[in-house]
């Protein structure tokens, strides 16, 4: 579990050699940029780049032109070790908006706690149908205060087209959804991704987040994925550190709304 080795492995398997993460999506490699393009409700954006200072602005403008032509807003997922060192500032100058920085953390799935006790009266249920997806979306919107309909559409798409690559779990208290999370499995790689872990106010601090991490890690290990990764917010990073996750780097999503941003010509 050497952090530098894990970061290199992550960059290679999930960024440079990434596969599409949903039906209708395609991975495109253009010069030193790897991006995904798909339907409007899918994740669209730049997964990896290896740019130098002389060519960075031209590459940024090329991605803006690509997604503008497709009529899609998109994200440039920037990692702290990406080059050039001022790439974030260049993205801002090109009309991107920086969202909150998160911490990329990784752990061996088999090394994580296997049994985390649930609060009395709470049960975990795996999501397999549209009703379960609605519960996941409900929890996400209550926990984070954001419109999460697109998450529901992506989850439904993958459950219908390739259910072996995604699973979701919801925690129910007397039938009410109070916590939920997703596990995205990356075929042919060592990694599975832990996404969307959220708990509604009133149920936080009672072990539900840890229980959902443990549940998904068991599923990942059972399906042959050695490692689990999280883009951790500041609120979840201390919990994950106590569970044994290692910090590899930080990542910041830079978003570009092609409906409102002006064209850029370096």
């Amino acid at each position: 579990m050497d952090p530098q080795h894990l970061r290199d492995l992550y960059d290679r398997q999930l960024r440079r050699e990434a596969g599409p993460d949903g039906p209708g999506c395609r991975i495109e490699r253009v010069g030193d940029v790897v991006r995904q393009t798909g339907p409007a409700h899918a994740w669209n954006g730049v997964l990896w780049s290896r740019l130098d200072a002389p060519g960075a602005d031209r590459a940024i403008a090329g991605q803006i032109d690509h997604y503008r032509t497709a009529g899609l807003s998109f994200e440039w997922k920037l990692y702290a070790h990406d080059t050039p060192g001022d790439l974030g500032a260049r993205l801002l100058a090109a009309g991107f908006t920086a969202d909150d920085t998160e911490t990329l953390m990784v752990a061996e799935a088999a090394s994580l706690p296997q049994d985390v006790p649930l609060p009395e009266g709470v049960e975990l249920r795996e999501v397999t149908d549209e009703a379960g997806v609605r519960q996941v979306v409900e929890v996400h919107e209550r926990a984070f205060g954001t419109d999460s309909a697109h998450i529901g559409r992506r989850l439904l798409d993958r459950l219908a087209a390739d259910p072996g690559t995604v699973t979701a779990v919801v925690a129910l208290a007397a039938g009410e959804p109070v916590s939920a999370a997703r596990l995205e499995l990356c075929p042919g790689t060592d990694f599975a991704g832990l996404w969307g872990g959220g708990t509604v106010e009133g149920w936080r601090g009672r072990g539900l987040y840890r229980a959902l991490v443990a549940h998904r890690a068991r599923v990942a290990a059972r399906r042959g994925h050695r490692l689990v990764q999280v883009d951790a917010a500041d609120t979840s990073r201390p919990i994950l550190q106590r569970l044994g996750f290692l910090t590899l780097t930080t990542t910041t999503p830079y978003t570009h709304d092609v409906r409102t941003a002006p064209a850029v010509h370096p």
Side-chain angles (χ1 to χ4, degrees):
M1 291 291 287
D2 172 64
Q4 181 64 53
H5 169 73
L6 290 173
R7 196 183 78 181
D8 291 345
L9 185 67
Y10 177 89
D11 277 352
R12 176 171 63 83
Q13 292 188 349
L14 296 191
R15 301 183 69 202
R16 296 200 309 271
E17 300 174 2
D21 70 358
C25 298
R26 64 186 184 274
I27 296 295
E28 300 163 321
R29 294 170 174 85
V30 182
D32 288 323
V33 172
V34 177
R35 68 189 181 211
Q36 176 168 285
T37 305
H41 65 275
W43 185 88
N44 287 281
V46 174
L47 291 156
W48 178 82
S49 66
R50 183 175 57 194
L51 306 176
D52 57 20
D57 290 338
R58 183 169 60 253
I60 292 169
Q63 304 318 305
I64 293 173
D65 286 345
H66 166 74
Y67 287 105
R68 185 187 305 279
T69 299
L72 297 168
S73 295
F74 72 105
E75 176 182 309
W76 192 302
K77 195 162 175 59
L78 179 67
Y79 292 77
H81 57 284
D82 289 346
T83 58
D86 64 348
L87 184 53
R90 292 172 183 262
L91 292 170
L92 292 175
F96 287 76
T97 300
D99 292 333
D100 293 339
T101 296
E102 297 174 317
T103 303
L104 174 62
M105 307 183 79
V106 169
E108 289 185 323
S111 72
L112 295 172
Q114 297 297 298
D115 295 303
V116 176
L118 293 166
E120 185 176 354
V122 175
E123 63 170 333
L124 298 186
R125 185 177 298 171
E126 288 207 5
V127 172
T128 59
D129 56 18
E130 188 171 352
V133 171
R134 285 198 299 269
Q135 290 180 323
V136 171
V137 171
E138 176 188 337
V139 168
H140 200 278
E141 291 183 340
R142 292 174 61 193
F144 300 110
T146 57
D147 182 351
S148 303
H150 63 289
I151 292 175
R153 290 192 64 186
R154 293 177 196 171
L155 183 53
L156 281 172
D157 282 352
R158 291 185 68 169
L159 286 172
D162 199 354
T165 65
V166 65
T167 186
V169 60
V170 62
L172 301 171
E176 177 191 359
V178 295
S179 188
R182 309 186 310 281
L183 172 70
E184 297 188 1
L185 304 157
C186 303
T189 78
D190 293 284
F191 293 91
L194 307 184
W195 297 98
T199 302
V200 303
E201 193 172 357
W203 283 91
R204 295 169 186 164
R206 301 173 68 175
L208 289 176
Y209 182 82
R210 288 183 290 113
L212 294 181
V213 169
H215 175 88
R216 290 175 290 166
R218 290 196 302 271
V219 174
R222 190 167 66 241
R223 298 192 184 179
H225 294 273
R226 180 172 64 93
L227 302 168
V228 288
Q229 61 88 196
V230 184
D231 288 353
D234 290 343
T235 51
S236 54
R237 186 178 65 248
I239 302 171
L240 295 167
Q241 286 175 329
R242 290 193 293 270
L243 289 174
F245 280 76
L246 293 178
T247 294
L248 303 188
T249 186
T250 60
T251 178
T252 306
Y254 285 78
T255 56
H256 194 279
D257 189 339
V258 296
R259 298 167 300 180
T260 59
V264 174
H265 300 285

